Amino acid sequence: SKENPIMMHEIERYIAEIFNFITDKFELDQIIFDIGRLSEKFNYTIIAENNQSDPNFKKQQIRKEIEDIGSETLHDYLYTLTEEDDFWLFEPNHFANFKEQFEQAITKTDIFQLTVAIQLQNEDIKRMANELSQKMEKTVILDVRISNGLIGGAIIKKDNYILDYSLKTKLTNLSEHWKKSIQKANQV
């Protein structure tokens, strides 16, 4: 069946907005879980049968459905939609289509583990993820971890690929290079 282009555009907009708030893999996993639960839990008939009711009734019904989801990010996003009287996503079949499209978007997403010495600000994490997304030409989520073993710098991992920009590694490499230079000088 051919998808409705307007529906697809709306769903893509919601997905892009949600992805904009995701700052780590744990949050992404929680959102995936919550979207799955919500798609099974939503009582579409209550919302669909009351299309002509006042927005406050819809808000109450939707908020009752989203009140106990684990992801604060997803909860706040869906709550904001109800504040703005944006009920489109909650209409029959829209949320199920949203779930399918969200799952497809995840397959086009790369998750990089970023290990750093200090806590980074969310704005900095988002900026780095956006820059990586532009360079990779796909959505990138940074899974940030803090390591007391790092003096400074960062270690970036993607699958089995590691970029080590840690200060400890740079100092170790400098030390080894220096020792080799001394050994060569002593041989002369």
Side-chain angles (χ1 to χ4, degrees):
S1 68
K2 186 90 171 143
E3 294 289 340
N4 176 339
I6 294 171
M7 177 183 284
M8 296 305 296
H9 177 73
E10 281 298 303
I11 289 173
E12 287 170 6
R13 179 180 63 86
Y14 290 118
I15 290 170
E17 288 174 353
I18 291 171
F19 265 96
N20 193 41
F21 295 114
I22 299 172
T23 57
D24 60 36
K25 184 173 182 332
F26 177 79
E27 183 67 20
L28 175 63
D29 290 343
Q30 186 64 55
I31 288 172
I32 293 167
F33 177 78
D34 288 337
I35 287 173
R37 265 187 47 210
L38 285 175
S39 70
E40 295 169 3
K41 183 178 170 187
F42 269 125
N43 188 345
Y44 292 119
T45 54
I46 292 174
I47 296 165
E49 289 172 0
N50 292 288
N51 271 339
Q52 307 203 352
S53 68
D54 80 279
N56 287 326
F57 178 79
K58 285 184 184 181
K59 282 181 191 180
Q60 290 172 348
Q61 294 297 358
I62 293 166
R63 288 177 181 171
K64 194 183 330 178
E65 299 295 332
I66 66 171
E67 69 187 13
D68 65 341
I69 61 176
S71 166
E72 190 175 325
T73 298
L74 184 62
H75 175 274
D76 292 350
Y77 178 75
L78 296 176
Y79 190 91
T80 300
L81 291 180
T82 65
E83 282 290 299
E84 298 167 353
D85 292 340
D86 182 352
F87 305 117
W88 186 91
L89 184 61
F90 307 103
E91 290 179 19
N93 299 322
H94 291 187
F95 202 87
N97 287 331
F98 165 76
K99 177 185 179 260
E100 282 179 32
Q101 292 303 312
F102 193 86
E103 288 169 350
Q104 286 181 9
I106 290 165
T107 65
K108 300 172 190 165
T109 302
D110 272 341
I111 299 173
F112 285 77
Q113 184 184 63
L114 175 66
T115 306
V116 292
I118 60 169
Q119 179 68 45
L120 299 175
Q121 298 296 318
N122 278 346
E123 302 83 48
D124 294 329
I125 296 169
K126 286 179 187 172
R127 182 180 45 75
M128 287 187 286
N130 287 337
E131 288 174 12
L132 271 172
S133 295
Q134 288 174 355
K135 287 180 182 172
M136 304 284 297
E137 296 181 354
K138 66 190 310 189
T139 303
V140 171
I141 294 176
L142 291 175
D143 186 20
V144 180
R145 299 181 183 195
I146 299 168
S147 171
N148 295 334
L150 284 181
I151 302 168
I155 299 171
I156 303 168
K157 292 181 184 177
K158 168 67 177 123
D159 300 323
N160 294 327
Y161 190 70
I162 299 173
L163 296 172
D164 191 340
Y165 298 107
S166 67
L167 190 54
K168 182 178 180 180
T169 299
K170 288 184 187 266
L171 290 173
T172 300
N173 290 343
L174 179 64
S175 172
E176 287 174 8
H177 181 71
W178 185 59
K179 287 176 188 175
K180 286 179 185 176
S181 296
I182 291 174
Q183 287 172 349
K184 282 183 183 178
N186 287 339
Q187 291 174 355
V188 174

